[in-house]
Amino acid sequence: PSTRIPSFLVFLVDIFVSAAAVVAAFALRLEGDRVSEYVQSLYWMVLISILIKPAIYYLFGLYRRLWAYASVNELTLISTAVSVASAVFSAITLTLYVTHMNGARLLNFPRAVLAIDWLLSLVGIGGVRFSIRLLAEGLTAINNKKNTPKKVKNVLIIGAGSAGALAVREMQKNSRLGLRPVGYLDDDLAKQRRQIHGVSVVGK
């Protein structure tokens, strides 16, 4: 089954996450009390967030990735994009916070909200994308299970390095190959009886 999620749908989810992170940050900082005192500022901060953050995510290429294949590199990219977006968001809101009109601040909010918002955005934006990967792996596993050959060969992998680990991972993900990795062979004594992807190094 296709596991590609339309970029536009991911973009809409990011808008929701950006707004929800601000609201949740206020609720957590104020512990649910006195939120009504900051309602006007909250509305403005939600608006700024949904205008600024998705635009920066776009500049970082978060809508051009196939998240079904997300890895550590994508995690680093997400962290950087969210941090930059939160920094720009914080700079704008703090500027409005220190700016006064008729003796009143243009925005009024507890400053800790910005740190909480960054953390929630990081969890939300990253969580959405790695959920796509988990969904893709789940659908792939179901599809492979339906097409698993009746006869499966047990396989020993020579070498417990990165290439061997990659081979094992492919066999585990693609059961249609009809290959079951049962162990590694490696001369490195430090690797003996260790496991990689759940498969043990069984000897030299």
Side-chain angles (χ1 to χ4, degrees):
S2 175
T3 53
R4 183 181 178 186
I5 307 297
S7 297
F8 183 69
L9 180 58
V10 178
F11 176 77
L12 292 179
V13 173
D14 283 352
I15 291 177
F16 172 79
V17 170
S18 298
V22 176
V23 175
F26 267 89
L28 289 172
R29 171 60 181 83
L30 301 172
E31 298 180 352
D33 299 326
R34 299 170 34 238
V35 176
S36 58
E37 299 177 19
Y38 300 94
V39 169
Q40 186 173 356
S41 295
L42 175 59
Y43 286 154
W44 278 106
M45 290 177 71
V46 166
L47 179 60
I48 295 169
S49 181
I50 63 178
L51 290 176
I52 295 297
K53 291 181 181 178
I56 292 177
Y57 300 155
Y58 175 82
L59 293 177
F60 273 84
L62 294 193
Y63 303 112
R64 295 193 297 270
R65 300 271 173 160
L66 285 175
W67 294 104
Y69 306 101
S71 64
V72 174
N73 290 334
E74 278 69 32
L75 182 60
T76 302
L77 177 65
I78 292 170
S79 300
T80 304
V82 171
S83 297
V84 171
S86 293
V88 174
F89 171 69
S90 297
I92 294 172
T93 53
L94 286 173
T95 299
L96 295 174
Y97 176 83
V98 299
T99 302
H100 290 68
M101 182 176 292
N102 297 326
R105 291 191 176 99
L106 293 181
L107 280 184
N108 187 29
F109 58 91
R111 272 77 70 207
V113 164
L114 299 177
I116 299 172
D117 170 73
W118 168 76
L119 183 60
L120 294 177
S121 295
L122 188 61
V123 172
I125 298 300
V128 166
R129 283 154 176 80
F130 279 88
S131 294
I132 295 174
R133 173 174 174 167
L134 292 176
L135 174 62
E137 289 187 351
L139 291 175
T140 300
I142 293 172
N143 190 43
N144 285 339
K145 191 173 183 180
K146 293 178 180 178
N147 296 282
T148 300
K150 293 182 179 180
K151 292 184 179 181
V152 178
K153 293 182 180 180
N154 290 334
V155 180
L156 278 174
I157 308 298
I158 300 176
S162 57
L166 184 63
V168 166
R169 187 64 176 151
E170 180 60 26
M171 292 179 201
Q172 291 174 333
K173 290 176 64 177
N174 190 355
S175 59
R176 287 176 293 182
L177 295 172
L179 302 173
R180 180 190 299 117
V182 295
Y184 296 94
L185 300 177
D186 199 292
D187 289 331
D188 189 346
L189 295 177
K191 294 179 180 178
Q192 301 304 311
R193 305 305 172 187
R194 303 284 181 154
Q195 289 191 343
I196 303 174
H197 297 318
V199 179
S200 298
V201 180
V202 295
K204 296 190 292 182

